Amino acid sequence: MTSLPAPSDVKLGLVIDLDTCVGCHACVISCKEWNTGGYGAALGDQDAYGDAPVGAFLNRVHTFEAKPEEGPAAVVHFPKSCLHCEDAPCVTVCPTGASYKRAEDGIVLVNEDACIGCGLCAWACPYGAREMDPVEKVMKKCTLCVDRIYNENIPEEDRVPSCVRTCPAGARHFGDLGDPDSDISQLVETRGGFDLMPEQGTKPVNKYLPPRPKTVTPVPELPDLTDLAASRAEEKADGFFGWLDRALEKL
């Protein structure tokens, strides 16, 4: 089985704001597009617009309706991909060493050349964040776009994961969560960021920011329509219709 390296000082990861995510799936499509022609073996994608499409995705968005104990129900969009856990069980169960965690930045990757497609890592992952590529027959997962973030041949503003660069709502953030003074760590501290399923003991690097409490807008009171109708009747009696009624009474 594969061993984990000593915990690194640098912990690259994502912070996802559940209050801001609108569920547009732009991150899903951007991830699919980049990884289909990017890192390692291309992400399987066949007959995408045909009768029997076949492919794999590394990032998905789930949508739930949540009803808190107090306040109104709310729709929550929940993006999910590999969380690059510090104590990654997907790595320690791999029989070939194909699944590994980088010592220099904590990113969890898969060496497709060594992967035998046994699926043990998918069974070990409590988050369902790994997907067997139906074309390549090897395991695929989020790489944090490792081929982008260190690529000096692209503009500096593009050296972030594709999903982060694409998000139109600014719900996805990328940085070093091992540095308590980094912008992304300060965001987690300020907003009360949390781990997904901490009871699993995997110590996920990625964090989520909780939705802010929703408020109920009070419905304004309607005017007393009975009084309004009586007022209108009095206005008519003193106006043209009042004169008309008196004129008709004389006929």
Side-chain angles (χ1 to χ4, degrees):
M1 301 300 176
T2 310
S3 298
L4 288 166
S8 61
D9 293 332
V10 177
K11 296 179 175 61
L12 297 183
L14 300 174
V15 170
I16 300 174
D17 192 343
L18 300 180
D19 187 67
T20 307
C21 177
V22 296
C24 67
H25 287 72
C27 58
V28 176
I29 301 305
S30 176
C31 172
K32 177 72 170 178
E33 187 279 332
W34 180 263
N35 286 285
T36 295
Y39 165 81
L43 194 62
D45 186 50
Q46 294 184 356
D47 196 26
Y49 303 100
D51 295 332
V54 173
F57 287 80
L58 308 184
N59 180 43
R60 298 181 184 274
V61 178
H62 305 279
T63 298
F64 306 93
E65 181 178 353
K67 180 63 175 73
E69 294 182 1
E70 297 182 1
V75 173
V76 178
H77 305 290
F78 199 94
K80 188 185 69 176
S81 57
C82 175
L83 285 87
H84 301 276
C85 304
E86 290 187 49
D87 190 6
C90 59
V91 171
T92 55
V93 302
C94 181
T96 66
S99 185
Y100 66 99
K101 187 173 180 66
R102 288 161 52 110
E104 60 268 35
D105 52 23
I107 298 176
V108 177
L109 296 175
V110 176
N111 178 1
E112 289 94 346
D113 292 336
C115 179
I116 59 175
C118 66
L120 283 176
C121 58
W123 282 99
C125 175
Y127 306 110
R130 288 181 170 235
E131 189 159 336
M132 181 69 71
D133 191 309
V135 178
E136 300 290 336
K137 306 301 182 185
V138 294
M139 196 60 67
K140 298 294 182 70
K141 60 174 296 299
C142 164
T143 67
L144 282 181
C145 289
V146 69
D147 52 341
R148 286 174 64 102
I149 61 179
Y150 293 111
N151 190 346
E152 296 183 357
N153 294 318
I154 61 177
E156 186 174 354
E157 61 268 22
D158 289 333
R159 296 175 201 168
V160 294
S162 180
C163 60
V164 175
R165 189 73 175 99
T166 302
C167 180
R172 304 176 74 92
H173 307 269
F174 171 72
D176 181 9
L177 286 153
D179 179 5
D181 296 323
S182 67
D183 291 342
I184 196 171
S185 294
Q186 291 297 310
L187 181 61
V188 172
E189 179 68 22
T190 302
R191 288 283 308 281
F194 63 92
D195 291 346
L196 181 61
M197 298 165 59
E199 68 277 6
Q200 296 294 325
T202 60
K203 301 177 184 177
V205 173
N206 288 8
K207 310 295 180 187
Y208 287 91
L209 304 181
R212 294 179 175 90
K214 307 300 179 184
T215 57
V216 179
T217 303
V219 178
E221 292 186 12
L222 296 176
D224 189 334
L225 299 181
T226 302
D227 293 342
L228 180 62
S231 175
R232 291 292 174 83
E234 292 178 1
E235 292 177 3
K236 290 181 180 179
D238 294 336
F240 170 76
F241 290 103
W243 171 84
L244 181 60
D245 285 340
R246 290 190 293 271
L248 292 175
E249 288 176 354
K250 296 177 180 180
L251 295 178

